[in-house]
């Protein structure tokens, strides 16, 4: 989409429209010539039809002659107000096109990065980012629009009425009203102070409630197997109760503030306005009214009173707009925090609450300084090399203090060790999902490493999309890979029957449900054969595959030149690897070649 939007400009759109118009005119002229070649006798026999065609309205040469005459009347000269209107409309249309292109480009920028993953996994300053991105941003925009409409006209009214009233009753009246506005505004701002904090809390509770529901939908089958419906019901009810209780307090507080706002901003402001405007008329010694008649006094009083009443109403609307401004402050704080975090994430800076599991005795031990992004990544083909790299989680837990080993293409490595020892952390660092805290990592570019998880992801789309993901059909054709080759990939993992069953590569299904666990793992291996990376990370990705199919898959990877990092507890896979990397979970590791004397871990 971003590639298409690059050419979607106002200039290109105008050129395309002009070309289409010229082609259409030429087509109409050819039709006219072909009809003129008919015999004269046929035309004589159809005089009535000829007259009807002559009067028929059509987009042809005659039409353009007629419309040009009318346009000369509508726009008589080059330099006139009608021409100015046309230029203004054209400029606005061009601006609209550029705005559309800008929106398309900004809407597709998220496809270039892993910002959402970083926000949720590497940085914990923002919880429930989906709530902030979807709901809070929209409410912030609506609040800004409402605030502008509620402030622009009252401010204009106040300026005009101050000018009129100053010339009519002097500056004392408007000055008194402005003083009342200042005092009442400060008082109400003090009372409204909790609204901003309550707004932030409301959005956080809404995000938590939405997260609990989406989590239930995602894991509904597992929950049903565990009969965990009552426990999940309690979780949802407790989260919902927390939100409802807060909303009750918030709504009651806003109701109370609305009562006070109306009292101060409307009724008392009106009383103050009438009091201010009546003072010159109650003073018999005022020089302004000494020579005025009774009707003139009444006219002046009503005129000044109505203007001052309108001014007090405008002041009241501004005071009430302060209520929305206080609520806007809560959204502003959330949006500002989002912008700050996004900027720092894109620059490689992460902040996460560091959790230390060390006791008092270990506090005296020298700790390794952890600086996210403090390591150096060098992109070199056909080699993966860790040099004095600390393996640590974004939470600050050091798994291995100093990791050093080297693997070149053609060498398969088996990664083993207990749960929590750092196997997945190693792969996240390789995939550049986690920051490098120090040392130096030499590896191929990101696209030349391929990760195959234990639970492969099946995308929405056709059967072909499952094999070529994340490529598109156009990218497949650019690579010169035919559907017949894709069929061979499926046959290699014994999934050819799926294509025979569905009948075509363009069949769309819910593949997460249609395919079994073993079929999804084999589909992920077919996807690996399609991409042919230099290195592949296999994370228990054949646990649901039979041993004979597994042997063929590993042998085929060696045949096509894919070097493997394999996490598995199967002893049957040791024969397919040359080295093993064993982590004991206590910060130690062994990287040794596999020989006949090697003790195999697993079952």
């Amino acid at each position: 989409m971003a590639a298409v939007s690059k050419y979607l400009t106002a200039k290109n759109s105008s050129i395309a429209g002009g070309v289409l118009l010229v082609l259409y005119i030429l087509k109409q002229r050819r039709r006219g010539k072909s009809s003129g070649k008919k015999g004269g006798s046929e035309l004589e026999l159809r005089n009535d039809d000829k007259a009807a065609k002559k009067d028929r309205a059509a987009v042809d040469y005659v039409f353009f002659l007629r419309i040009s005459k009318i346009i000369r009347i509508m726009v008589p000269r080059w330099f006139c107000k009608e021409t100015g209107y046309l230029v203004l409309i054209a400029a606005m249309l061009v601006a609209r096109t550029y705005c559309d292109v800008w929106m398309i480009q900004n809407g597709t920028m998220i496809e270039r990065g892993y910002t959402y993953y970083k926000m949720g996994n590497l940085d914990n300053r923002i919880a429930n980012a989906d709530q902030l991105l979807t709901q809070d941003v929209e409410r912030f925009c609506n609040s800004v629009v409402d605030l502008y409409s509620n402030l622009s006209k009252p401010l204009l009214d106040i300026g005009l009425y101050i000018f009129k009233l100053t010339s009519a009753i002097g500056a004392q009246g408007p000055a008194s009203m402005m003083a009342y506005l200042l005092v009442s505004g400060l008082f109400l701002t003090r009372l409204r102070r909790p609204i901003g904090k309550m707004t932030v809390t409301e959005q956080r509770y809404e995000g938590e409630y939405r997260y609990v529901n989406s989590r239930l939908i995602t894991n509904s089958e597992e929950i049903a197997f565990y009969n965990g419906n009552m426990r999940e019901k309690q979780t949802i009810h407790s989260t919902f109760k927390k939100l409802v209780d807060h909303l009750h307090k918030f709504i009651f507080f806003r109701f109370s503030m609305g009562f006070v706002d109306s009292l101060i901003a409307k009724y008392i402001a009106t009383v103050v306005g009438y009091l201010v405007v009546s003072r010159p008329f109650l003073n018999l010694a005022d020089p302004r009214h000494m020579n005025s008649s009774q009707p003139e006094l009444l006219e002046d009083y009503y005129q000044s009173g109505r203007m001052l009443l309108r001014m007090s109403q405008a002041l009241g609307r501004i005071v009430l707009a302060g209520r929305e401004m206080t609520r806007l402050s809560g959204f502003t704080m959330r949006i500002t925090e989002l912008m700050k975090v996004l900027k720092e994430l894109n620059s490689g800076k992460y902040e996460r609450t560091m959790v230390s599991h060390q006791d008092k005795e270990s506090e005296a031990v020298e700790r390794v300084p952890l600086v996210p992004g403090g390591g150096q990544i060098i992109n070199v083909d056909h080699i993966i090399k860790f040099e004095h790299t600390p393996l640590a989680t974004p939470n600050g837990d050091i798994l291995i203090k100093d990791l050093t080993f080297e693997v070149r293409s053609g060498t398969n490595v088996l990664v083993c060790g207990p749960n929590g020892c750092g196997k997945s952390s190693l792969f996240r660092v390789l995939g550049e999902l986690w920051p490098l805290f120090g040392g130096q990592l030499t590896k191929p570019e990101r696209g030349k490493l391929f990760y195959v998880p234990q639970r492969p992801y099946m995308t929405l789309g056709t059967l072909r999309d499952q094999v070529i993901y994340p490529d598109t059909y156009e990218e497949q054709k650019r690579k010169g890979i035919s559907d017949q080759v894709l069929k061979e990939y499926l046959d290699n993992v014994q999934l050819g029957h799926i294509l025979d069953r569905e009948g075509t590569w363009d069949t769309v299904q819910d593949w997460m449900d249609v395919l079994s666990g073993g079929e999804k793992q084999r589909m992920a291996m077919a996807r690996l054969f399609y991409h042919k990376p230099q290195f592949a990370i296999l994370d228990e990705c054949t646990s649901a595959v039979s041993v004979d199919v597994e042997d063929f898959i590993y042998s085929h990877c060696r045949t096509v030149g894919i070097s493997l990092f394999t996490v598995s507890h199967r002893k049957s896979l040791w024969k397919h690897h040359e080295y093993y990397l064993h982590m004991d979970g206590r910060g130690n590791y062994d990287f040794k070649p596999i020989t006949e004397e090697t003790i195999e871990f697993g079952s």
Side-chain angles (χ1 to χ4, degrees), residues 382-393:
H382 304 294
I383 184 174
I384 291 178
K385 184 178 181 181
F386 285 85
E387 297 180 77
H388 306 292
T389 301
L391 188 61
T393 67

Side-chain angles (χ1 to χ4, degrees), residues 27 74-75 88 97 99 220 265 276-277 282 345 356 383 397 410 435 439 463 517 527 533 548 555 561 588:
K27 183 178 180 181
M74 297 168 61
V75 186
L88 178 61
T97 302
C99 288
S220 59
V276 170
V277 78
L282 297 177
L345 289 178
S356 178
I383 184 174
D397 297 324
L463 177 60
R527 188 180 297 170
D548 57 334
S555 300
N588 303 315

Side-chain angles (χ1 to χ4, degrees), residues 519-569:
E519 288 176 335
K520 283 185 279 193
Q521 288 189 346
R522 283 182 279 165
M523 183 67 74
M525 297 306 296
R527 188 180 297 170
L528 173 66
F529 298 152
Y530 166 81
H531 287 283
K532 291 187 176 65
Q534 294 180 12
F535 290 90
I537 299 169
L538 310 183
D539 191 358
E540 295 280 0
C541 65
T542 57
S543 57
V545 177
S546 61
V547 176
D548 57 334
V549 176
E550 185 181 61
D551 283 339
F552 176 81
I553 289 174
Y554 278 85
S555 300
H556 189 71
C557 287
R558 188 179 295 277
T559 302
V560 297
I562 302 175
S563 301
L564 303 177
F565 273 79
T566 306
V567 176
S568 180
H569 297 286

Side-chain angles (χ1 to χ4, degrees), residues 299-313:
E299 181 183 359
D300 196 3
Y301 174 75
Y302 280 115
Q303 184 179 7
S304 301
R306 288 183 180 179
M307 284 193 296
L308 201 58
L309 177 63
R310 296 293 178 85
M311 179 180 173
S312 66
Q313 291 175 349

Side-chain angles (χ1 to χ4, degrees), residues 584-599:
D584 63 1
R586 294 186 294 270
N588 303 315
Y589 73 96
D590 289 319
F591 181 75
K592 296 180 179 179
I594 297 176
T595 62
E596 296 179 356
E597 292 78 19
T598 302
I599 300 176

Side-chain angles (χ1 to χ4, degrees), residues 225-460:
F225 276 123
Y226 280 113
N227 292 326
N229 53 322
M230 295 305 299
R231 176 62 182 273
E232 297 300 325
K233 180 180 179 182
Q234 292 175 0
T235 303
I236 291 179
H237 279 193
S238 62
T239 308
F240 182 68
K241 185 178 184 301
K242 186 165 57 173
L243 174 62
V244 170
D245 290 343
H246 175 75
L247 288 177
H248 282 164
K249 296 178 183 178
F250 195 12
I251 292 172
F252 180 76
F253 181 80
R254 291 172 61 185
F255 169 77
S256 304
M257 283 304 305
F259 179 79
V260 176
D261 287 342
S262 299
L263 185 66
I264 294 177
K266 292 183 179 179
Y267 302 109
I268 298 181
T270 303
V271 173
V272 173
Y274 276 118
L275 177 62
V276 170
V277 78
S278 62
R279 288 189 64 188
F281 297 95
L282 297 177
N283 184 9
L284 299 178
D286 194 312
R288 181 178 173 217
H289 304 115
M290 292 183 64
N291 298 323
S292 300
S293 61
Q294 187 71 19
E296 290 175 343
L297 285 174
L298 288 175
E299 181 183 359
D300 196 3
Y301 174 75
Y302 280 115
Q303 184 179 7
S304 301
R306 288 183 180 179
M307 284 193 296
L308 201 58
L309 177 63
R310 296 293 178 85
M311 179 180 173
S312 66
Q313 291 175 349
L315 292 174
R317 289 198 296 272
I318 291 180
V319 172
L320 293 178
R323 177 176 58 193
E324 295 300 323
M325 191 177 297
T326 307
R327 183 171 172 81
L328 176 63
S329 65
F331 294 122
T332 304
M333 187 182 73
R334 298 263 291 174
I335 300 301
T336 304
E337 183 183 11
L338 172 66
M339 294 172 62
K340 176 186 175 184
V341 172
L342 289 177
K343 184 177 180 180
E344 293 181 355
L345 289 178
N346 290 328
S347 62
K349 181 180 178 181
Y350 313 105
E351 288 186 16
R352 193 174 180 91
T353 304
M354 295 296 184
V355 181
S356 178
H357 301 287
Q358 299 174 345
D359 53 16
K360 294 183 179 179
E361 296 180 357
S362 61
E363 289 181 358
V365 181
E366 182 182 357
R367 298 182 182 177
V368 178
L370 297 179
V371 180
Q376 182 183 11
I377 297 179
I378 302 175
N379 293 128
V380 178
D381 285 342
H382 304 294
I383 184 174
I384 291 178
K385 184 178 181 181
F386 285 85
E387 297 180 77
H388 306 292
T389 301
L391 188 61
T393 67
N395 202 40
D397 297 324
I398 299 178
L399 304 174
I400 297 177
K401 186 177 180 180
D402 190 330
L403 184 64
T404 301
F405 69 89
E406 178 181 341
V407 177
R408 294 188 175 271
S409 289
T411 303
N412 293 346
V413 178
L414 187 69
V415 183
C416 50
N419 293 333
C421 66
K423 299 188 295 292
S424 298
S425 303
L426 175 70
F427 299 148
R428 289 172 183 143
V429 172
L430 273 176
E432 300 182 31
L433 299 181
W434 281 10
L436 195 64
F437 287 96
Q440 182 174 292
L441 171 60
T442 304
K443 56 181 284 295
E445 295 179 356
R446 195 176 202 160
K448 298 177 181 179
L449 278 80
F450 202 81
Y451 180 72
V452 184
Q454 185 176 7
R455 299 177 61 183
Y457 173 69
M458 297 291 111
T459 185
L460 297 175

